[in-house]
Amino acid sequence: MSPADSPVPALHAEAPDGVLVAYRVHGDVGADAAGPPVLLVHGFASDSVVTWEGTGWVGALRDAGRAVVTTDLRGHGESDKPADADSYAPDRLGADLVAVLDSAGVRQADVVAYSMGNRVVSALCELAPERVRRVVVGGAGPSELFATWDLDEVRAYLMDGVPPRNPVIAQVLAPAIRAGADREALLACTAGVAGAPLAIPGGIPVLFVAGEDDPVPAGVQQLALDWGSDLVTIPGRDHVSTLTARAFKDAAVAFLA
């Protein structure tokens, strides 16, 4: 599914540094009968249409009576794609989400994030905790994946096609390359996000969701215990297939009700 396949046109919010961040509004964000709008934040090397519309997430939340805001992180989808690592510092990515909420007219939102998107939501919660009511952390744990990558290997693979020694780099990046992603933006994003924390203020309730066969959120069980949060484990699912699981959607809808 490509951005052109979305029935909802993209709007753009201007971040504090001038970057234009694409977003879409599904439903009436002013109708709070079933709860505040839900902000969906995708992961690395994807976009909002593929991650949230193509997998049925927007439909499931709309069926539950919720308005939905989806956004393309900078460097992805229909957002601007700066090529310097500083543009992807966590505080800038978090400020992008504030700009999207402001532009969409959303005072406070529930949030569902996946994979790298949780690092961005963590930055949002640090910058503006009053804008977030509840958070669903999907496919992420205490360790940030890019911190384990050799940036020179990432650069050689993205720019010259040199196979990396770390097979995970190719597993993550190859689909994005085939889809025509901006390689310089992906490299800059990798460098800028590497080591970004997952730290959501204690006053914001959190639900963790992880696939049973997903190595990315390693350590999430202890993190959930430390935070006093519930963890839903999806049997037989890896990092990609967890996102499409009906059990994930059902758990999120129930937690955000």
Side-chain angles (χ1 to χ4, degrees), residues 57-224:
W57 270 91
V58 170
L61 288 163
R62 296 291 296 125
D63 288 346
R66 306 298 290 269
V68 176
V69 178
T70 61
T71 184
D72 292 341
L73 298 174
R74 63 171 63 195
H76 299 75
E78 295 185 66
S79 292
D80 284 350
K81 299 172 178 63
D84 59 297
D86 288 346
S87 291
Y88 296 88
D91 60 340
R92 291 195 176 188
L93 294 170
D96 289 351
L97 297 187
V98 175
V100 166
L101 293 176
D102 287 346
S103 182
V106 175
R107 182 185 61 83
Q108 188 181 56
D110 286 336
V111 183
V112 181
Y114 201 70
S115 197
M116 187 195 82
N118 291 287
R119 264 61 197 184
V120 184
V121 171
S122 179
L124 164 65
C125 291
E126 290 291 330
L127 284 171
E130 74 283 356
R131 306 297 294 272
V132 179
R133 190 186 72 144
R134 288 176 169 247
V135 175
V136 178
V137 174
S143 299
E144 197 286 308
L145 180 65
F146 300 158
T148 68
W149 289 7
D150 184 319
L151 194 61
D152 289 336
E153 283 192 54
V154 176
R155 181 181 294 105
Y157 181 65
L158 281 172
M159 301 307 169
D160 302 312
V162 178
R165 292 188 301 273
N166 180 348
V168 176
I169 294 174
Q171 290 168 13
V172 172
L173 292 176
I177 292 171
R178 288 195 296 269
D182 186 307
R183 300 185 188 209
E184 290 187 355
L186 291 181
L187 177 61
C189 183
T190 301
V193 173
L198 181 60
I200 294 174
I204 300 175
V206 175
L207 173 69
F208 289 94
V209 180
E212 180 183 46
D213 299 329
D214 182 3
V216 174
V220 69
Q221 294 88 348
Q222 186 60 51
L223 187 60

